[in-house]
Amino acid sequence: MKIYRRLIPCISKEIIRHLLAESTVEIADGHRDDAELDIASVLVNYLNDEDQLNQDAKDILERRGLPFEKFGMVKRGLAESRNMIIGDNAFDYVLEQMVEILFHSGNFTEIFAEDHDLKRIMRNTIRRYMGVDAQLDKEVRGRLRHLREGTPDWEIEYEKVIEQMRHSHGLS
């Protein structure tokens, strides 16, 4: 699941806005900002856990002298030992955590929708922000039309341009 930390406040604000617009939740007076922070905390916690998992996997590779090709295997093993959901199921896991926070936070006074309806609203909102990578990729590929894809020159230039684009869009 790829979400840029810089976009988390926008995502949480938009999720709350959509939940309120569809009358699925009621927020205690004066607690809208806190409700947004509740939603943001789920994303931040997941990204922090994922960053720690990546770092620990890299450390294991280094300590054991394993090639980087083993990174995915080591990461999956660590995730399993920590009962952390990664990969294709991570998105559903994060949505489940967001629904849980709605019920456990004191900032939400009423919840009027079923879990699946809440998840649908959140999923649609988050997906718009997850598409940022696809949009950047399309834009970068357009800029690199003069190079043949798959060549070493293309790969080097792609990484350089995508990082510049992320930086110019405030995503790095």
Side-chain angles (χ1 to χ4, degrees):
M1 188 170 96
K2 181 66 176 170
I3 293 179
Y4 293 100
R5 287 181 187 273
R6 186 176 177 108
L7 296 176
I8 290 175
C10 298
I11 294 169
S12 61
K13 185 180 290 287
E14 192 168 330
I15 286 173
I16 294 298
R17 187 172 55 80
H18 285 282
L19 290 172
L20 289 170
E22 294 196 28
S23 300
T24 55
V25 298
E26 188 176 286
I27 297 174
D29 289 338
H31 287 265
R32 184 173 177 154
D33 290 343
D34 294 332
E36 290 171 7
L37 288 174
D38 287 339
I39 296 295
S41 72
V42 173
L43 292 168
V44 169
N45 286 337
Y46 185 81
L47 292 178
N48 287 345
D49 290 346
E50 190 174 47
D51 287 348
Q52 186 63 52
L53 185 69
N54 287 333
Q55 187 58 49
D56 292 348
K58 287 177 189 175
D59 291 346
I60 288 172
L61 290 177
E62 189 177 312
R63 274 197 319 267
R64 295 182 183 168
L66 297 171
F68 191 74
E69 291 80 35
K70 302 282 186 184
F71 178 79
M73 182 183 74
V74 171
K75 182 179 175 180
R76 281 189 300 280
L78 281 174
E80 188 175 311
S81 71
R82 296 175 184 178
N83 295 320
M84 185 176 170
I85 309 294
I86 59 172
D88 295 338
N89 297 327
F91 193 42
D92 291 331
Y93 171 77
V94 168
L95 290 172
E96 187 66 38
Q97 295 299 308
M98 286 182 177
V99 168
E100 288 297 317
I101 201 109
L102 296 178
F103 287 101
H104 291 94
S105 170
N107 297 312
F108 298 90
T109 55
E110 288 291 333
I111 300 171
F112 302 108
E114 297 289 327
D115 289 3
H116 66 274
D117 291 325
L118 296 168
K119 288 179 188 176
R120 174 187 49 79
I121 293 166
M122 292 182 214
R123 180 180 294 113
N124 292 340
T125 302
I126 294 171
R127 278 199 176 135
R128 278 195 294 277
Y129 287 93
M130 289 175 74
V132 168
D133 263 354
Q135 292 167 346
L136 282 177
D137 179 67
K138 185 177 180 180
E139 192 173 336
V140 169
R141 287 175 186 277
R143 289 184 180 195
L144 297 178
R145 285 184 300 225
H146 64 285
L147 296 174
R148 199 173 101 231
E149 187 171 343
T151 63
D153 289 340
W154 187 90
E155 295 292 334
I156 291 167
E157 196 63 25
Y158 180 88
E159 288 302 318
K160 188 168 45 170
V161 173
I162 196 111
E163 191 54 40
Q164 289 171 350
M165 297 293 291
R166 285 181 180 142
H167 184 72
S168 68
H169 286 84
L171 301 173
S172 59

